[in-house]
Amino acid sequence: MSEFDRAAEAAIAHLLAAPARLGPVRVLAVDGPSGAGKSTFADLLLSRLGAVDARLVRTDDFATWDEPVEWWPRLRAGVLEPLAAGSPGGYRRTEWPGGRPVPGAHVPVPVPEVLVLEGVSAARAAIAPRLSTVVWVEPVGAALRLERAVARDGEDARGELRRWQRFEQEWFAADGTRARADVRIGPAATGAPG
């Protein structure tokens, strides 16, 4: 069984034992640095949740180079507040034609049993009291994460990705995200749930 498989089992067990804290919705946040495998892990979680009504919202649908985390009010107003009230939400996804961010398609978010919130800053301190489970993903070092991100986003993005890595390192240190994780993947793993 892989580290991701073990962590998915631990995260789902923790989630299903935890109460809903966003109105009727349990929120499982998958956080960690770029290129760590958060998207892959979130997809694995969704496939393992089976009959549970789960929806996925990725922070990449909001972030831009100029607004790495400042977009949070859009997510809060469009998704989190409506779901907390038991109403559907939605948002306009950021799209990147030609490598430049523009407002894209509207994404509806019906009220699920579980909301998987995935991406850099998904488990930020501002939402910590509303989260049922937090997973920290950081199985590899910064150099390999950079190469993964370049493979995903293209060589032209390397400079921005380096700048992003510096930003997120400072962000995570100030926010204390890793310390709030219930399940950790990588060298700082606790054998999870923590």
Side-chain angles (χ1 to χ4, degrees), residues 12 21-22 33 65 94 101 109 112-113 147 149 188:
I12 291 169
R21 294 189 175 121
L22 186 72
W65 297 127
T94 299
V109 183
E113 293 175 62
E147 293 312 313

Side-chain angles (χ1 to χ4, degrees), residues 62 71-83 87-91:
F62 296 87
W71 46 263
W72 188 257
R74 286 179 39 222
L75 174 67
R76 187 181 60 235
V79 177
L80 301 176
E81 289 173 357
L83 294 183
S87 299
Y91 61 94

